[in-house]
Amino acid sequence: MQSAWYPRVANEYGMVLDTRGTLTKADWEIFAASMSGTETKMQFVRLVAKWINETTTWRALTDLYDTKDGGYPRGIEFVARPVVGGLFAMLALG
């Protein structure tokens, strides 16, 4: 079910965490990807990689960014937090 839904809410740089806005968390994206079907899993990974490669991601492993423009939300600075361990979720399930 989630593998069919996530691609419908994808933006330029990721899947939205909450449909009321355009923010996402990189750790959550990879964690959700690890539980998704192969095609959706790879879409999650491609979008996170695109965000890293195409935007000015100057914060060390930030886990909160905008899926439309790749920017960071004003006034919220999530930097090098322990939750980025979620980026390894696929490895844990491998």
Side-chain angles (χ1 to χ4, degrees):
M1 183 166 90
Q2 75 177 19
S3 290
W5 183 79
Y6 285 130
R8 294 191 312 221
V9 296
N11 285 327
E12 184 75 15
Y13 295 109
M15 308 281 189
V16 296
L17 178 61
D18 182 336
T19 57
R20 296 173 294 176
T22 59
L23 297 179
T24 196
K25 295 175 83 260
D27 60 307
W28 168 82
E29 286 184 289
I30 301 303
F31 181 79
S34 69
M35 310 291 226
S36 298
T38 303
E39 189 175 318
T40 303
K41 178 184 302 195
M42 294 316 299
Q43 184 178 14
F44 269 105
V45 172
R46 278 191 300 273
L47 290 171
V48 171
K50 182 177 181 174
W51 169 68
I52 291 168
N53 289 320
E54 293 183 5
T55 64
T56 55
T57 54
W58 57 271
R59 291 184 179 156
L61 292 175
T62 186
D63 61 305
L64 185 68
Y65 66 93
D66 191 284
T67 59
K68 287 196 173 188
D69 64 13
Y72 305 112
R74 287 185 171 235
I76 304 173
E77 294 188 15
F78 287 1
V79 181
R81 295 174 351 126
V83 297
V84 297
L87 294 170
F88 300 100
M90 281 194 263
L91 297 174
L93 292 173

Coordinates of all heavy atoms in Angstrom, one line a residue:
M1 N 0.8 -1.2 0.0 CA 0.0 0.0 0.0 C 0.9 1.3 0.0 O 0.7 2.2 -0.8 CB -0.9 0.0 1.2 CG -1.9 1.2 1.2 SD -3.2 0.9 2.4 CE -2.5 1.6 3.9
Q2 N 1.9 1.3 0.9 CA 2.7 2.5 0.9 C 3.5 2.7 -0.3 O 3.8 3.8 -0.7 CB 3.6 2.5 2.2 CG 4.8 1.6 2.1 CD 5.6 1.7 3.4 OE1 5.2 2.2 4.4 NE2 6.9 1.3 3.3
S3 N 3.9 1.6 -0.9 CA 4.7 1.7 -2.1 C 4.0 2.3 -3.3 O 4.6 2.9 -4.2 CB 5.2 0.3 -2.6 OG 6.1 -0.2 -1.6
A4 N 2.7 2.2 -3.3 CA 1.9 2.9 -4.3 C 1.6 4.3 -4.0 O 1.5 5.2 -4.8 CB 0.5 2.2 -4.5
W5 N 1.5 4.7 -2.7 CA 1.2 6.0 -2.2 C 2.4 7.0 -2.3 O 2.2 8.1 -2.8 CB 0.6 6.0 -0.8 CG 0.2 7.3 -0.3 CD1 -1.0 7.9 -0.6 CD2 0.9 8.2 0.5 NE1 -1.0 9.2 0.0 CE2 0.1 9.4 0.7 CE3 2.1 8.2 1.2 CZ2 0.5 10.4 1.5 CZ3 2.5 9.2 2.0 CH2 1.7 10.3 2.1
Y6 N 3.5 6.6 -1.8 CA 4.7 7.5 -1.8 C 5.0 8.1 -3.1 O 5.3 9.4 -3.1 CB 5.9 6.8 -1.2 CG 5.8 6.6 0.3 CD1 6.1 5.3 0.9 CD2 5.5 7.6 1.2 CE1 6.0 5.1 2.2 CE2 5.5 7.4 2.5 CZ 5.7 6.2 3.1 OH 5.7 6.0 4.4
P7 N 5.1 7.4 -4.2 CA 5.5 8.1 -5.4 C 4.5 9.2 -5.8 O 4.9 10.1 -6.5 CB 5.4 6.9 -6.5 CG 5.8 5.7 -5.7 CD 5.1 6.0 -4.3
R8 N 3.3 9.1 -5.4 CA 2.3 10.2 -5.7 C 2.5 11.5 -4.9 O 2.0 12.5 -5.3 CB 0.9 9.7 -5.4 CG 0.4 8.6 -6.3 CD -1.0 8.3 -6.2 NE -1.4 8.2 -4.8 CZ -2.3 7.3 -4.3 NH1 -2.8 6.4 -5.1 NH2 -2.6 7.3 -3.0
V9 N 3.3 11.4 -3.8 CA 3.6 12.6 -3.1 C 5.0 13.1 -3.2 O 5.5 13.9 -2.4 CB 3.2 12.5 -1.6 CG1 1.7 12.3 -1.4 CG2 3.9 11.3 -0.9
A10 N 5.7 12.5 -4.2 CA 7.1 12.9 -4.4 C 7.2 14.3 -5.0 O 6.4 14.7 -5.9 CB 7.8 11.9 -5.3
N11 N 8.2 15.0 -4.6 CA 8.5 16.3 -5.1 C 9.9 16.2 -5.8 O 10.5 15.1 -5.8 CB 8.5 17.4 -4.1 CG 7.1 17.8 -3.7 OD1 6.2 17.7 -4.6 ND2 6.8 18.1 -2.5
E12 N 10.5 17.3 -6.1 CA 11.8 17.4 -6.8 C 12.9 16.7 -6.0 O 13.7 16.0 -6.6 CB 12.2 18.8 -7.1 CG 13.4 19.0 -7.9 CD 13.3 18.7 -9.3 OE1 12.1 18.7 -9.8 OE2 14.3 18.6 -10.0
Y13 N 12.9 16.9 -4.7 CA 14.0 16.4 -3.9 C 13.6 15.4 -2.8 O 14.4 15.2 -1.9 CB 14.8 17.6 -3.3 CG 15.5 18.4 -4.3 CD1 15.0 19.7 -4.6 CD2 16.5 17.9 -5.1 CE1 15.6 20.5 -5.6 CE2 17.1 18.7 -6.0 CZ 16.7 20.0 -6.3 OH 17.2 20.7 -7.3
G14 N 12.5 14.9 -2.9 CA 12.1 13.9 -1.9 C 10.6 13.6 -1.7 O 9.8 14.3 -2.4
M15 N 10.3 12.7 -0.9 CA 8.9 12.4 -0.5 C 8.5 13.2 0.7 O 9.3 13.3 1.7 CB 8.8 10.9 -0.2 CG 9.3 9.9 -1.1 SD 8.2 9.7 -2.5 CE 9.0 8.3 -3.3
V16 N 7.4 13.8 0.6 CA 7.0 14.6 1.8 C 6.7 13.8 3.0 O 6.1 12.7 2.9 CB 5.7 15.5 1.5 CG1 6.0 16.5 0.4 CG2 4.5 14.7 1.1
L17 N 7.1 14.3 4.1 CA 6.9 13.6 5.4 C 5.4 13.7 5.8 O 4.8 12.8 6.4 CB 7.8 14.2 6.5 CG 7.7 13.6 7.9 CD1 8.1 12.1 7.9 CD2 8.6 14.4 8.8
D18 N 4.8 14.8 5.5 CA 3.5 15.1 6.0 C 2.8 15.9 4.8 O 3.3 16.9 4.4 CB 3.5 15.9 7.2 CG 2.2 16.3 7.8 OD1 1.2 16.3 7.1 OD2 2.1 16.6 9.0
T19 N 1.7 15.4 4.3 CA 1.1 16.1 3.2 C 0.5 17.5 3.4 O 0.1 18.1 2.5 CB -0.1 15.2 2.6 OG1 -1.0 15.0 3.7 CG2 0.4 13.9 2.1
R20 N 0.6 18.0 4.6 CA 0.2 19.3 4.9 C 1.3 20.3 4.6 O 1.1 21.5 4.7 CB -0.2 19.5 6.4 CG -1.4 18.7 6.8 CD -1.6 18.7 8.3 NE -0.5 18.0 8.9 CZ -0.4 17.9 10.2 NH1 -1.2 18.4 11.1 NH2 0.7 17.2 10.8
G21 N 2.5 19.8 4.2 CA 3.6 20.7 3.9 C 4.5 20.1 2.9 O 4.1 19.1 2.2
T22 N 5.7 20.6 2.7 CA 6.7 20.1 1.7 C 8.0 19.6 2.4 O 8.9 19.4 1.7 CB 6.9 21.1 0.7 OG1 7.5 22.3 1.3 CG2 5.7 21.5 -0.1
L23 N 8.0 19.6 3.7 CA 9.3 19.1 4.4 C 9.4 17.6 4.4 O 8.4 16.9 4.4 CB 9.3 19.7 5.8 CG 9.3 21.2 5.9 CD1 9.3 21.6 7.4 CD2 10.5 21.8 5.2
T24 N 10.6 17.2 4.5 CA 10.9 15.8 4.7 C 12.1 15.6 5.6 O 12.8 16.6 6.0 CB 11.1 15.0 3.4 OG1 11.0 13.6 3.7 CG2 12.5 15.3 2.8
K25 N 12.4 14.4 6.1 CA 13.5 14.1 6.8 C 14.3 13.0 6.1 O 13.7 11.9 5.8 CB 13.1 13.6 8.2 CG 12.4 14.8 9.0 CD 11.9 14.3 10.4 CE 13.0 14.3 11.4 NZ 13.7 13.1 11.7
A26 N 15.6 13.2 5.9 CA 16.3 12.2 5.1 C 16.4 10.8 5.8 O 16.3 9.8 5.2 CB 17.8 12.7 4.9
D27 N 16.5 10.8 7.1 CA 16.5 9.6 7.9 C 15.2 8.8 7.7 O 15.2 7.6 7.5 CB 16.8 9.8 9.3 CG 15.8 10.7 10.0 OD1 15.6 11.8 9.5 OD2 15.3 10.3 11.1
W28 N 14.1 9.5 7.8 CA 12.8 8.9 7.6 C 12.6 8.4 6.2 O 12.1 7.3 6.0 CB 11.7 9.9 7.9 CG 10.3 9.4 7.5 CD1 9.5 8.6 8.2 CD2 9.7 9.7 6.2 NE1 8.4 8.3 7.4 CE2 8.5 8.9 6.2 CE3 10.0 10.4 5.1 CZ2 7.6 9.0 5.1 CZ3 9.1 10.5 4.0 CH2 7.9 9.7 4.1
E29 N 13.1 9.1 5.2 CA 13.0 8.7 3.8 C 13.6 7.3 3.6 O 13.1 6.4 3.0 CB 13.6 9.7 2.8 CG 12.7 10.9 2.7 CD 13.3 11.8 1.6 OE1 14.3 12.5 1.9 OE2 12.7 11.9 0.5
I30 N 14.9 7.2 4.1 CA 15.6 5.9 3.9 C 15.0 4.8 4.8 O 14.9 3.6 4.4 CB 17.1 6.0 4.2 CG1 17.7 7.1 3.2 CG2 17.8 4.7 4.1 CD1 17.5 6.8 1.8
F31 N 14.5 5.1 6.0 CA 13.8 4.2 6.8 C 12.5 3.7 6.1 O 12.3 2.5 6.0 CB 13.4 4.8 8.2 CG 12.8 3.8 9.1 CD1 13.5 2.9 9.8 CD2 11.4 3.9 9.3 CE1 12.8 2.0 10.6 CE2 10.7 3.0 10.1 CZ 11.5 2.0 10.8
A32 N 11.7 4.6 5.6 CA 10.5 4.2 4.8 C 10.9 3.4 3.6 O 10.2 2.5 3.2 CB 9.7 5.4 4.5
A33 N 12.0 3.8 2.9 CA 12.4 3.1 1.7 C 12.7 1.6 2.0 O 12.4 0.7 1.2 CB 13.6 3.8 1.1
S34 N 13.3 1.4 3.2 CA 13.7 0.0 3.5 C 12.5 -0.9 3.7 O 12.6 -2.1 3.6 CB 14.5 0.0 4.8 OG 13.7 0.4 5.9
M35 N 11.3 -0.3 3.9 CA 10.1 -1.1 4.1 C 9.2 -1.1 2.8 O 8.1 -1.6 2.8 CB 9.2 -0.5 5.2 CG 10.0 -0.3 6.4 SD 10.5 -1.8 7.2 CE 10.0 -1.5 8.9
S36 N 9.7 -0.5 1.7 CA 8.9 -0.3 0.5 C 9.3 -1.4 -0.6 O 10.4 -2.0 -0.4 CB 9.2 1.1 -0.1 OG 8.7 2.0 0.8
G37 N 8.5 -1.4 -1.6 CA 8.8 -2.3 -2.7 C 10.0 -1.8 -3.4 O 10.4 -0.6 -3.3
T38 N 10.6 -2.6 -4.3 CA 11.9 -2.3 -4.9 C 11.9 -1.0 -5.7 O 12.8 -0.1 -5.5 CB 12.4 -3.4 -5.8 OG1 12.4 -4.6 -5.1 CG2 13.7 -3.1 -6.5
E39 N 10.9 -0.7 -6.5 CA 10.8 0.5 -7.3 C 10.7 1.7 -6.5 O 11.3 2.7 -6.7 CB 9.6 0.4 -8.3 CG 9.6 1.5 -9.3 CD 8.4 1.3 -10.3 OE1 8.2 0.1 -10.8 OE2 7.7 2.3 -10.6
T40 N 9.8 1.7 -5.5 CA 9.6 2.8 -4.6 C 10.9 3.0 -3.7 O 11.3 4.2 -3.5 CB 8.4 2.6 -3.6 OG1 7.3 2.4 -4.5 CG2 8.2 3.8 -2.7
K41 N 11.5 2.0 -3.3 CA 12.7 2.0 -2.5 C 13.8 2.8 -3.3 O 14.4 3.7 -2.8 CB 13.3 0.6 -2.2 CG 14.6 0.6 -1.5 CD 15.0 -0.8 -1.3 CE 14.0 -1.6 -0.5 NZ 14.4 -2.9 0.0
M42 N 14.0 2.5 -4.6 CA 15.0 3.1 -5.4 C 14.6 4.6 -5.7 O 15.5 5.4 -5.8 CB 15.2 2.3 -6.7 CG 15.8 1.0 -6.4 SD 17.2 0.9 -5.2 CE 18.3 2.0 -6.0
Q43 N 13.3 4.9 -5.8 CA 12.9 6.3 -6.0 C 13.3 7.1 -4.7 O 13.8 8.2 -4.9 CB 11.4 6.4 -6.2 CG 11.0 7.8 -6.5 CD 9.5 7.9 -6.8 OE1 8.7 7.0 -6.6 NE2 9.1 9.1 -7.4
F44 N 13.0 6.6 -3.5 CA 13.4 7.3 -2.3 C 14.9 7.6 -2.4 O 15.4 8.7 -2.1 CB 13.2 6.4 -1.1 CG 11.8 6.6 -0.4 CD1 10.9 5.6 -0.6 CD2 11.6 7.7 0.4 CE1 9.6 5.7 0.1 CE2 10.4 7.8 1.0 CZ 9.4 6.8 0.9
V45 N 15.7 6.6 -2.7 CA 17.2 6.7 -2.7 C 17.6 7.7 -3.7 O 18.5 8.6 -3.5 CB 17.9 5.3 -2.9 CG1 19.4 5.5 -3.1 CG2 17.6 4.4 -1.7
R46 N 17.0 7.6 -4.9 CA 17.4 8.6 -6.0 C 17.1 10.0 -5.6 O 17.9 10.9 -5.9 CB 16.6 8.2 -7.3 CG 17.3 7.1 -8.1 CD 16.7 7.0 -9.5 NE 15.2 6.7 -9.5 CZ 14.7 5.5 -9.4 NH1 15.5 4.4 -9.3 NH2 13.4 5.3 -9.4
L47 N 15.9 10.2 -5.0 CA 15.6 11.6 -4.6 C 16.5 12.2 -3.5 O 16.9 13.3 -3.5 CB 14.1 11.6 -4.1 CG 13.1 11.4 -5.3 CD1 11.7 11.3 -4.7 CD2 13.1 12.6 -6.3
V48 N 16.9 11.3 -2.5 CA 17.8 11.8 -1.5 C 19.2 12.1 -2.1 O 19.8 13.1 -1.9 CB 18.0 10.8 -0.3 CG1 19.1 11.2 0.6 CG2 16.7 10.7 0.4
A49 N 19.6 11.2 -3.0 CA 20.9 11.4 -3.7 C 20.8 12.7 -4.6 O 21.8 13.5 -4.6 CB 21.2 10.2 -4.6
K50 N 19.7 12.9 -5.2 CA 19.5 14.1 -6.0 C 19.6 15.4 -5.2 O 20.3 16.4 -5.5 CB 18.2 14.1 -6.8 CG 18.0 15.3 -7.7 CD 16.6 15.2 -8.4 CE 16.5 16.4 -9.3 NZ 15.4 16.3 -10.2
W51 N 19.0 15.3 -4.0 CA 19.0 16.5 -3.1 C 20.5 16.7 -2.7 O 20.9 17.9 -2.7 CB 18.2 16.2 -1.9 CG 18.4 17.1 -0.7 CD1 18.0 18.5 -0.7 CD2 19.0 16.9 0.5 NE1 18.3 19.0 0.5 CE2 18.9 18.1 1.2 CE3 19.5 15.7 1.1 CZ2 19.4 18.2 2.5 CZ3 20.0 15.8 2.4 CH2 20.0 17.0 3.1
I52 N 21.2 15.7 -2.3 CA 22.6 15.8 -1.9 C 23.5 16.4 -3.1 O 24.3 17.3 -2.9 CB 23.2 14.5 -1.4 CG1 22.5 14.1 -0.1 CG2 24.7 14.6 -1.3 CD1 22.8 12.7 0.3
N53 N 23.3 15.9 -4.3 CA 24.1 16.3 -5.4 C 23.8 17.6 -6.1 O 24.6 18.2 -6.6 CB 24.0 15.2 -6.5 CG 24.7 13.9 -6.1 OD1 25.8 14.0 -5.5 ND2 24.1 12.8 -6.4
E54 N 22.5 18.0 -6.0 CA 22.1 19.2 -6.7 C 21.9 20.5 -5.9 O 21.7 21.6 -6.4 CB 20.8 19.0 -7.5 CG 21.0 18.0 -8.6 CD 19.7 17.8 -9.4 OE1 18.7 18.5 -9.2 OE2 19.8 16.9 -10.3
T55 N 21.8 20.4 -4.6 CA 21.6 21.5 -3.7 C 22.8 21.9 -2.9 O 23.7 21.1 -2.8 CB 20.3 21.3 -2.8 OG1 20.7 20.2 -1.9 CG2 19.1 20.9 -3.6
T56 N 22.7 23.0 -2.2 CA 23.8 23.5 -1.4 C 23.6 23.0 0.0 O 23.2 23.7 0.9 CB 23.9 25.0 -1.4 OG1 22.6 25.5 -1.0 CG2 24.2 25.6 -2.7
T57 N 23.8 21.7 0.2 CA 23.6 21.0 1.5 C 24.8 21.2 2.3 O 25.7 20.4 2.3 CB 23.3 19.5 1.3 OG1 24.3 19.0 0.5 CG2 22.0 19.3 0.6
W58 N 24.9 22.3 3.0 CA 26.0 22.6 3.8 C 26.0 22.1 5.3 O 26.9 22.2 6.0 CB 26.3 24.1 3.8 CG 25.2 24.9 4.3 CD1 24.1 25.4 3.6 CD2 24.9 25.4 5.7 NE1 23.3 26.1 4.4 CE2 23.7 26.1 5.7 CE3 25.6 25.2 6.9 CZ2 23.2 26.6 6.8 CZ3 25.0 25.7 8.0 CH2 23.9 26.5 8.0
R59 N 24.8 21.6 5.7 CA 24.7 21.1 7.0 C 25.1 19.6 7.1 O 24.6 18.8 6.2 CB 23.3 21.3 7.6 CG 23.0 22.7 7.8 CD 21.6 22.8 8.4 NE 21.3 24.3 8.6 CZ 20.1 24.8 8.6 NH1 19.1 24.0 8.5 NH2 20.0 26.0 8.8
A60 N 25.9 19.2 8.0 CA 26.4 17.8 8.1 C 25.2 16.9 8.4 O 24.6 16.9 9.5 CB 27.4 17.7 9.2
L61 N 24.9 16.1 7.5 CA 23.8 15.1 7.6 C 22.5 15.6 8.2 O 22.0 15.1 9.1 CB 24.3 13.9 8.4 CG 25.4 13.0 7.7 CD1 25.9 12.0 8.7 CD2 24.9 12.4 6.5
T62 N 22.1 16.8 7.7 CA 20.8 17.3 8.2 C 19.7 16.3 8.0 O 19.7 15.5 7.0 CB 20.5 18.6 7.6 OG1 19.3 19.2 8.2 CG2 20.2 18.5 6.1
D63 N 18.7 16.3 8.8 CA 17.6 15.4 8.6 C 16.3 16.1 8.4 O 15.2 15.5 8.5 CB 17.5 14.4 9.8 CG 17.2 15.1 11.1 OD1 18.0 16.0 11.5 OD2 16.2 14.8 11.8
L64 N 16.3 17.4 8.0 CA 15.1 18.1 7.7 C 15.3 19.1 6.6 O 16.2 19.9 6.6 CB 14.6 18.9 8.9 CG 13.2 19.6 8.8 CD1 12.1 18.6 8.6 CD2 13.0 20.5 10.0
Y65 N 14.6 18.9 5.5 CA 14.8 19.9 4.3 C 13.5 19.9 3.5 O 12.6 19.1 3.7 CB 15.9 19.5 3.5 CG 15.8 18.1 2.8 CD1 15.3 18.1 1.5 CD2 16.2 17.0 3.4 CE1 15.2 16.9 0.8 CE2 16.1 15.7 2.7 CZ 15.6 15.7 1.4 OH 15.5 14.5 0.8
D66 N 13.4 20.9 2.6 CA 12.2 21.1 1.8 C 12.3 20.2 0.5 O 13.4 20.3 -0.2 CB 12.1 22.5 1.4 CG 10.7 22.8 0.8 OD1 10.5 22.5 -0.4 OD2 9.9 23.4 1.5
T67 N 11.3 19.5 0.2 CA 11.3 18.6 -0.9 C 11.2 19.3 -2.3 O 11.4 18.8 -3.3 CB 10.2 17.5 -0.8 OG1 8.9 18.2 -0.8 CG2 10.4 16.6 0.3
K68 N 10.7 20.6 -2.2 CA 10.5 21.3 -3.5 C 11.7 22.1 -3.9 O 12.1 22.0 -5.1 CB 9.3 22.2 -3.4 CG 8.0 21.5 -3.4 CD 6.9 22.4 -3.7 CE 5.6 21.6 -3.9 NZ 4.5 22.4 -4.3
D69 N 12.4 22.8 -3.0 CA 13.5 23.6 -3.4 C 14.9 23.1 -2.8 O 15.9 23.6 -3.1 CB 13.3 25.0 -3.0 CG 13.2 25.3 -1.6 OD1 13.5 24.4 -0.7 OD2 12.8 26.4 -1.2
G70 N 14.8 22.1 -1.9 CA 16.0 21.5 -1.3 C 16.5 22.3 -0.2 O 17.5 21.9 0.4
G71 N 15.9 23.4 0.2 CA 16.4 24.3 1.2 C 16.0 23.8 2.6 O 15.4 22.8 2.8
Y72 N 16.5 24.6 3.6 CA 16.3 24.3 5.0 C 15.2 25.2 5.5 O 15.1 26.4 5.1 CB 17.5 24.5 5.8 CG 18.7 23.7 5.2 CD1 19.8 24.4 4.7 CD2 18.7 22.3 5.3 CE1 20.9 23.6 4.2 CE2 19.8 21.6 4.8 CZ 20.9 22.3 4.3 OH 21.9 21.5 3.8
P73 N 14.3 24.7 6.4 CA 13.3 25.5 7.0 C 13.9 26.6 7.9 O 14.9 26.4 8.6 CB 12.4 24.6 7.8 CG 13.1 23.3 7.8 CD 14.3 23.3 6.9
R74 N 13.3 27.8 7.8 CA 13.8 28.9 8.7 C 13.6 28.6 10.1 O 12.6 28.2 10.5 CB 13.1 30.2 8.3 CG 13.5 30.8 7.0 CD 12.8 32.1 6.8 NE 13.4 32.7 5.6 CZ 14.0 33.9 5.6 NH1 14.0 34.6 6.7 NH2 14.5 34.3 4.5
G75 N 14.6 28.9 10.9 CA 14.5 28.8 12.3 C 14.7 27.4 12.9 O 14.7 27.2 14.1
I76 N 14.8 26.4 12.0 CA 14.9 25.1 12.5 C 16.3 24.5 12.0 O 16.5 24.5 10.8 CB 13.8 24.1 12.0 CG1 12.4 24.7 12.4 CG2 14.0 22.7 12.5 CD1 11.3 23.9 11.8
E77 N 17.1 24.2 12.9 CA 18.5 23.7 12.5 C 18.7 22.3 13.0 O 19.2 22.1 14.1 CB 19.5 24.7 12.9 CG 19.4 26.0 12.3 CD 20.6 26.9 12.6 OE1 21.6 26.4 13.1 OE2 20.5 28.1 12.3
F78 N 18.4 21.3 12.2 CA 18.6 19.9 12.6 C 20.0 19.6 12.0 O 20.1 19.4 10.8 CB 17.5 19.0 12.0 CG 16.2 19.1 12.7 CD1 16.0 19.9 13.8 CD2 15.2 18.3 12.3 CE1 14.8 20.0 14.4 CE2 13.9 18.3 13.0 CZ 13.7 19.2 14.0
V79 N 21.0 19.4 12.8 CA 22.3 19.1 12.3 C 23.0 18.0 13.1 O 23.0 18.0 14.3 CB 23.2 20.4 12.4 CG1 24.6 20.1 11.8 CG2 22.6 21.6 11.7
A80 N 23.5 17.0 12.3 CA 24.2 15.9 12.9 C 23.5 15.3 14.1 O 24.1 15.0 15.2 CB 25.6 16.3 13.2
R81 N 22.2 15.0 14.0 CA 21.5 14.5 15.1 C 21.5 12.9 15.1 O 21.7 12.4 14.0 CB 20.0 14.9 15.1 CG 19.9 16.4 15.3 CD 18.5 17.0 15.1 NE 17.5 16.2 14.5 CZ 16.3 16.0 15.1 NH1 16.0 16.6 16.3 NH2 15.4 15.3 14.6
P82 N 21.3 12.3 16.2 CA 21.4 10.8 16.2 C 20.4 10.1 15.3 O 20.7 9.0 14.9 CB 21.1 10.5 17.7 CG 21.4 11.7 18.4 CD 21.2 12.8 17.5
V83 N 19.3 10.8 14.9 CA 18.3 10.1 14.1 C 18.8 9.8 12.7 O 18.3 9.0 12.0 CB 17.0 11.0 14.0 CG1 16.4 11.2 15.3 CG2 17.3 12.3 13.3
V84 N 19.9 10.4 12.3 CA 20.5 10.1 11.0 C 21.0 8.6 10.9 O 21.3 8.2 9.8 CB 21.6 11.1 10.5 CG1 21.0 12.5 10.3 CG2 22.8 11.0 11.4
G85 N 21.0 7.9 12.0 CA 21.2 6.5 12.0 C 20.2 5.8 11.1 O 20.5 4.7 10.6
G86 N 19.0 6.4 10.9 CA 18.0 5.9 10.0 C 18.5 5.7 8.6 O 17.9 4.9 7.8
L87 N 19.5 6.4 8.2 CA 20.1 6.3 6.9 C 20.7 4.9 6.6 O 20.9 4.6 5.5 CB 21.2 7.4 6.7 CG 20.7 8.8 6.7 CD1 21.8 9.8 6.7 CD2 19.8 9.1 5.5
F88 N 20.9 4.2 7.7 CA 21.5 2.9 7.6 C 20.4 1.8 7.7 O 20.8 0.6 7.8 CB 22.6 2.7 8.6 CG 23.7 3.6 8.5 CD1 23.8 4.8 9.3 CD2 24.7 3.5 7.5 CE1 24.8 5.7 9.2 CE2 25.7 4.4 7.3 CZ 25.7 5.5 8.2
A89 N 19.2 2.1 7.7 CA 18.1 1.1 7.9 C 18.1 0.0 6.8 O 17.9 -1.1 7.2 CB 16.7 1.9 7.8
M90 N 18.4 0.4 5.6 CA 18.4 -0.7 4.5 C 19.6 -1.7 4.8 O 19.4 -2.9 4.5 CB 18.6 -0.1 3.2 CG 17.3 0.5 2.6 SD 17.3 0.8 0.9 CE 17.7 2.6 1.0
L91 N 20.7 -1.2 5.3 CA 21.8 -2.1 5.7 C 21.4 -3.1 6.8 O 21.8 -4.2 6.8 CB 23.0 -1.3 6.0 CG 23.6 -0.4 4.9 CD1 24.7 0.4 5.5 CD2 24.1 -1.3 3.8
A92 N 20.7 -2.6 7.7 CA 20.3 -3.4 8.9 C 19.3 -4.5 8.5 O 19.3 -5.6 9.0 CB 19.6 -2.5 9.9
L93 N 18.5 -4.2 7.4 CA 17.6 -5.2 7.0 C 18.2 -6.2 5.9 O 17.6 -7.2 5.6 CB 16.3 -4.6 6.4 CG 15.5 -3.8 7.4 CD1 14.4 -3.1 6.7 CD2 14.9 -4.8 8.4
G94 N 19.4 -5.8 5.4 CA 20.0 -6.6 4.3 C 20.5 -7.9 4.9 O 20.5 -8.9 4.3

